[in-house]
Amino acid sequence: MELTDIGTIKELFSRHGFSFTKSLGQNFLINPSVCPRIAQLGLEGAEDPSEICALEIGTGVGVLTRELAARYKKVVAVEIDTGLKPILEETLADFDNVEVIFADVMETDLAGVIADKLGGAETAVCANLPYYITSPVIMRVLESRLPVRSMTVMVQKEAADRLCAAPGTRECGAISYAVRYYSEPRLMFKVSRGSFMPAPNVDSAVIRMDIVRRHDLSDAEEKRLFGLIRAGFSQRRKQLANPLSGELRKSKEELSALFTELGIKPTARAEELTLDDYIRLARKTD
Ligand code: SAM
């Protein structure tokens, strides 16, 4: 079954009475080279690839799901649109190692899914993410510290640049720091808008975030760290001491002295600090 073939997709849609829901970010992949690459990237570097499981978010007609099922021990996919159910029953019929959960990924207990359905096995998250919830989904997976080895996801090119931007550069945003705190992100390859049906207005890219644990902050310090970053970027054109003085309930003079002690320029803006600068600030300000 060739699920990147437009004729095949249209025939499936008409037979099952399915039509796209734009608000769910339904842009399905029709470029045959993309899904095998995403599936393969999730396995890279694994000691024993035959033991790795996959978690997919948003199956569409199952084009990536099939590539995952062919390579991973078991696949669990979360899809919100129950209208895809009869289609998936047909397109995934060849595989007995796939389970689709029809639910909103933002409401799903993903840790429970990995524990119960994948037996707590090492898991790779692979997805062509619905664009309207790219950042919330990524943050949900990262923050809940799921036992996942990596996330290989397709996102809009602009989002890919921001998610992979090194903290302390012009392209970065608050989310770049969060991503870098939990993972090592890398832009893997670009995907043109013509690779999707219907074609979106922008190009996309596949990024991989390899999960790392390199900081040992307490829960309170971690909470403060992200509070500081959020506050700083809420007024990114201003000198950081302005928004932080409210967040930390300290005078600008006190903050200026603290910045100097930590080797941070007192006039710095949010994007001029490295992740380590924010971490040292969070550790110093309880
Ligand atoms: N994997 C397919 C592909 O590459 O062709 C579909 C990708 S499409 C960009 C995103 C998919 O996510 C759609 O099937 C959509 O219905 C689903 N989706 C949207 N919002 C969702 C949510 N909150 N939870 C789970 N799935 C969702």
Side-chain angles (χ1 to χ4, degrees):
M1 185 177 294
E2 193 37 85
L3 287 182
T4 50
D5 174 66
I6 296 178
T8 307
I9 301 176
K10 284 191 172 156
E11 190 276 323
L12 274 171
F13 282 11
S14 86
R15 199 150 39 79
H16 294 286
F18 180 85
S19 48
F20 288 109
T21 304
K22 209 175 164 201
S23 61
L24 290 177
Q26 290 183 342
N27 300 97
F28 295 168
L29 267 164
I30 50 166
N31 176 337
S33 73
V34 176
C35 291
R37 287 176 82 184
I38 295 177
Q40 206 54 43
L41 280 168
L43 289 174
E44 233 172 51
E47 257 174 43
D48 184 358
S50 66
E51 285 304 310
I52 311 264
C53 292
L55 173 66
E56 187 189 6
I57 295 150
T59 59
V61 295
V63 63
L64 174 59
T65 326
R66 284 173 61 90
E67 298 295 337
L68 295 172
R71 291 170 175 80
Y72 289 75
K73 188 175 178 188
K74 186 165 181 209
V75 181
V76 170
V78 183
E79 169 57 57
I80 199 169
D81 190 346
T82 50
L84 288 164
K85 200 170 182 196
I87 295 181
L88 290 164
E89 273 164 9
E90 187 174 328
T91 59
L92 301 177
D94 308 344
F95 298 96
D96 59 8
N97 61 339
V98 184
E99 185 172 341
V100 182
I101 299 171
F102 288 93
D104 180 344
V105 67
M106 296 307 289
E107 308 275 318
T108 305
D109 168 16
L110 296 175
V113 167
I114 292 177
D116 300 343
K117 311 237 177 240
L118 300 177
E122 203 183 359
T123 299
V125 175
C126 292
N128 171 14
L129 286 177
Y131 293 153
Y132 74 103
I133 45 167
T134 298
S135 301
V137 170
I138 291 175
M139 288 317 299
R140 188 170 163 80
V141 172
L142 293 176
E143 280 175 352
S144 52
R145 293 204 187 279
L146 298 180
V148 301
R149 64 194 312 268
S150 63
M151 289 182 82
T152 306
V153 290
M154 169 106 66
V155 299
Q156 291 191 339
K157 172 67 175 51
E158 209 177 277
D161 289 339
R162 204 170 43 254
L163 290 161
C164 296
T169 61
R170 289 191 117 247
E171 300 73 39
C172 77
I175 196 159
S176 321
Y177 288 81
V179 165
R180 204 56 73 130
Y181 180 76
Y182 294 107
S183 76
E184 195 58 65
R186 256 175 76 193
L187 198 147
M188 306 309 293
F189 60 96
K190 294 180 199 162
V191 179
S192 71
R193 62 195 77 183
S195 299
F196 302 88
M197 178 176 135
N201 297 325
V202 290
D203 294 326
S204 293
V206 171
I207 65 171
R208 190 176 72 197
M209 290 160 276
D210 292 322
I211 309 301
V212 290
R213 175 140 206 162
R214 50 179 158 213
H215 306 290
D216 56 349
L217 270 64
S218 67
D219 289 352
E221 286 169 337
E222 209 170 276
K223 198 163 167 239
R224 202 155 52 243
L225 169 71
F226 291 113
L228 292 174
I229 294 170
R230 245 192 326 273
F233 277 87
S234 69
Q235 300 179 45
R236 72 183 289 166
R237 286 174 204 287
K238 294 210 174 134
Q239 293 183 1
L240 188 61
N242 289 297
L244 289 204
S245 115
E247 175 75 15
L248 293 170
R249 281 181 251 104
K250 284 188 192 297
S251 70
K252 285 195 203 137
E253 291 68 33
E254 284 174 297
L255 274 180
S256 182
L258 178 61
F259 279 18
T260 307
E261 184 192 331
L262 295 175
I264 301 167
K265 201 170 62 171
T267 55
R269 292 170 214 279
E271 73 217 36
E272 292 180 76
L273 270 67
T274 63
L275 177 59
D276 278 337
D277 289 334
Y278 280 108
I279 288 175
R280 283 183 296 126
L281 259 179
R283 283 201 160 116
K284 270 277 183 182
T285 49
D286 51 356

